[in-house]
Amino acid sequence: MLDINKIREDFPILKREVHGKPLIYFDNGATSQTPQIVIDAIVDYYTNYNANIHRGVHTLSQEATDKYEEARIKIQKHFNAKHAYEIILTAGTTESINVISAGFTSLLKEGDEVIVSALEHHSNIVPWQMMCEKTGAVLRVIPMEEDGSLRMDLFDELLNNKTKLVFCNHVSNALGTINPIETIIHRAHKFGAYVVIDGAQACPHIKPNVQELDVDFYVTSAHKMCGPTGVGMLYGKKELLEMLPPYQGGGEMIETVTFEKTTYAGLPHKFEAGTPNICGGIAFGVAIDYMNSIGFDTIQARENELLTYATEKLLQIDGLKIYGTSHKTSVISFNIEGIHPYDIGSILDKLGIAVRTGHHCAQPIMDFYKIPGTVRASLSFYNTKEEIDVLVTAVTKAKMMLS
């Protein structure tokens, strides 16, 4: 069982007030909060061994390098990658996707087809559109159902021998839908297509096993997993990472440089040009340790309990509609009839409650529902039923004020 009081003590920000009210943080889909142990790891780096990595023979550089590479191994083990060098440390999910799309820009040709789902965040749409504009490849879209699930029957119709890439999120950031990525990967591989899974919204709740999934590329960000901003992961199968050209040139990603010819370093350094977010990478490893110390089975059970409770309570408010009712995790995206989501969010903020309003960088989903956006309450294991009760009371109050 989760000792929620002990868990909440790990997060110093949960003690603060907003507008004179205790902070209630329901914007975990945008970024999770950071436990003290992760904050301490960042402070420890800058206090005790701040130095550049991989390049120095002096003690501080060696210590920083060892800590950074230890974090890579932690990430490898967490996601069950076969090799540590299959883990590329990036600035986050968005950069990870751009590394892949830029690489395939040199590999695709006019008439090739790529498939994206209708449930994607803009960061898993725009890079592929840019890739298609440069290559002449054609972008196809898996349509969605009213309940927020994907039309898997139509996915089968889209797949053909021209399909080269399929990209899909593991969990929708706007609706919380858990997509059937195992099925997507299996069906795409039958046509020889590679699959890229955006795991940013899934990894705080689910522990993916990349070898078991047989996924070609899997990407995520630390800041949604109790880690710092500005750091993330790109997993790729060894042979595919070796096939892709470097994303950018600079220090660290080279083997030899002359004015006549440059040769590139092996994995993972081929994709890690320049000085990285060293303390961020180290803290990412600490955040993974923290979440694993709680246990993802425990986290899932806790969050499913909170999701069920919040859904039942919110649906008791007249005129409230929840978008995305398929198999899902930890996200409730809702509107109240006749009221703009921004107005509800503004009132909730005055009551100390942090939610997200708008299109959540998923405009095609909002266009599908013909709405300007939603109020999104996204839950984490450190939230409580008491906080949900306050949210429900506040939404009810907001409705009365705005009706």
Side-chain angles (χ1 to χ4, degrees), residues 250 253-265:
M253 51 75 65
I254 56 87
E255 181 179 37
T256 62
V257 175
T258 69
F259 285 110
E260 290 72 36
K261 174 69 175 175
T262 293
T263 58
Y264 304 126

Side-chain angles (χ1 to χ4, degrees), residues 285-305:
V286 174
I288 283 177
D289 285 343
Y290 175 79
M291 295 193 77
N292 280 320
S293 72
I294 298 169
F296 276 79
D297 289 342
T298 301
I299 287 171
Q300 279 188 303
R302 171 70 179 176
E303 291 175 343
N304 287 339
E305 181 183 359

Side-chain angles (χ1 to χ4, degrees), residues 186-400:
H186 177 70
R187 292 181 185 176
H189 282 174
K190 284 185 175 180
F191 290 88
Y194 301 121
V195 182
V196 182
I197 298 297
D198 173 358
Q201 203 68 31
C203 291
H205 319 292
I206 297 167
K207 189 172 182 176
N209 183 327
V210 294
Q211 288 192 78
E212 190 174 279
L213 288 169
D214 193 27
V215 66
D216 301 299
F217 301 96
Y218 195 100
V219 300
T220 195
S221 295
H223 72 94
K224 300 194 183 188
M225 300 178 66
C226 297
T229 58
V231 65
M233 176 209 75
L234 159 58
Y235 160 78
K237 291 178 178 176
K238 173 188 175 184
E239 61 272 20
L240 300 183
L241 292 174
E242 290 177 338
M243 177 182 73
L244 295 183
Y247 176 56
Q248 55 186 352
E252 191 62 29
M253 51 75 65
I254 56 87
E255 181 179 37
T256 62
V257 175
T258 69
F259 285 110
E260 290 72 36
K261 174 69 175 175
T262 293
T263 58
Y264 304 126
L267 300 175
H269 307 299
K270 171 183 171 183
F271 295 103
E272 294 183 356
T275 298
N277 181 354
I278 300 169
C279 74
I282 293 167
F284 189 5
V286 174
I288 283 177
D289 285 343
Y290 175 79
M291 295 193 77
N292 280 320
S293 72
I294 298 169
F296 276 79
D297 289 342
T298 301
I299 287 171
Q300 279 188 303
R302 171 70 179 176
E303 291 175 343
N304 287 339
E305 181 183 359
L306 292 174
L307 178 64
T308 299
Y309 184 81
T311 301
E312 292 173 352
K313 290 289 186 178
L314 285 167
L315 285 176
Q316 293 174 13
I317 300 173
D318 290 339
L320 188 145
K321 178 179 179 178
I322 293 176
Y323 297 88
T325 56
S326 182
H327 179 47
K328 64 189 288 187
T329 183
S330 295
V331 171
I332 304 176
S333 220
F334 67 90
N335 280 332
I336 296 177
E337 187 177 0
I339 302 176
H340 197 282
Y342 178 84
D343 295 332
I344 296 172
S346 297
I347 291 175
L348 295 183
D349 175 62
K350 297 300 183 186
L351 298 172
I353 303 171
V355 295
R356 182 57 59 103
T357 63
H359 54 63
H360 318 300
C361 294
Q363 285 185 330
I365 293 176
M366 304 304 145
D367 292 343
F368 174 84
Y369 288 119
K370 298 180 173 59
I371 55 177
T374 67
V375 180
R376 185 186 69 183
S378 45
L379 312 173
S380 183
F381 59 90
Y382 48 68
N383 290 127
T384 67
K385 290 182 178 179
E386 290 76 17
E387 289 180 319
I388 291 169
D389 290 339
V390 175
L391 170 68
V392 173
T393 300
V395 172
T396 304
K397 182 177 180 179
K399 179 193 172 188
M400 293 174 59

Side-chain angles (χ1 to χ4, degrees), residues 74-308:
K74 290 178 183 179
I75 297 165
Q76 172 210 353
K77 290 181 178 177
H78 178 81
F79 290 96
N80 194 32
K82 188 173 183 180
H83 307 288
Y85 54 73
E86 292 177 318
I87 302 297
I88 310 301
L89 289 167
T90 67
T93 300
T94 298
E95 185 180 56
S96 296
I97 293 170
N98 276 274
V99 170
I100 302 166
S101 65
F104 274 96
T105 297
S106 64
L107 299 173
L108 297 184
K109 63 183 185 302
E110 188 171 356
D112 286 341
E113 296 184 3
V114 296
I115 299 175
V116 65
S117 93
L119 295 176
E120 299 310 307
H121 187 282
H122 295 164
S123 64
N124 206 25
I125 299 174
V126 178
W128 307 114
Q129 289 177 327
M130 295 168 69
M131 180 188 71
C132 288
E133 288 171 1
K134 293 174 181 175
T135 62
V138 179
L139 186 71
R140 307 292 189 192
V141 182
I142 311 169
M144 61 181 286
E145 299 273 18
E146 185 71 24
D147 67 357
S149 61
L150 291 175
R151 289 287 307 272
M152 294 298 289
D153 56 329
L154 297 183
F155 174 54
D156 286 335
E157 294 180 12
L158 292 173
L159 284 167
N160 62 75
N161 291 328
K162 294 181 180 179
T163 307
K164 304 303 178 186
L165 282 167
V166 176
F167 17 96
C168 177
N169 55 38
H170 196 162
V171 170
S172 164
N173 73 299
L175 303 177
T177 303
I178 303 174
N179 287 315
I181 62 168
E182 296 91 341
T183 301
I184 289 169
I185 293 165
H186 177 70
R187 292 181 185 176
H189 282 174
K190 284 185 175 180
F191 290 88
Y194 301 121
V195 182
V196 182
I197 298 297
D198 173 358
Q201 203 68 31
C203 291
H205 319 292
I206 297 167
K207 189 172 182 176
N209 183 327
V210 294
Q211 288 192 78
E212 190 174 279
L213 288 169
D214 193 27
V215 66
D216 301 299
F217 301 96
Y218 195 100
V219 300
T220 195
S221 295
H223 72 94
K224 300 194 183 188
M225 300 178 66
C226 297
T229 58
V231 65
M233 176 209 75
L234 159 58
Y235 160 78
K237 291 178 178 176
K238 173 188 175 184
E239 61 272 20
L240 300 183
L241 292 174
E242 290 177 338
M243 177 182 73
L244 295 183
Y247 176 56
Q248 55 186 352
E252 191 62 29
M253 51 75 65
I254 56 87
E255 181 179 37
T256 62
V257 175
T258 69
F259 285 110
E260 290 72 36
K261 174 69 175 175
T262 293
T263 58
Y264 304 126
L267 300 175
H269 307 299
K270 171 183 171 183
F271 295 103
E272 294 183 356
T275 298
N277 181 354
I278 300 169
C279 74
I282 293 167
F284 189 5
V286 174
I288 283 177
D289 285 343
Y290 175 79
M291 295 193 77
N292 280 320
S293 72
I294 298 169
F296 276 79
D297 289 342
T298 301
I299 287 171
Q300 279 188 303
R302 171 70 179 176
E303 291 175 343
N304 287 339
E305 181 183 359
L306 292 174
L307 178 64
T308 299

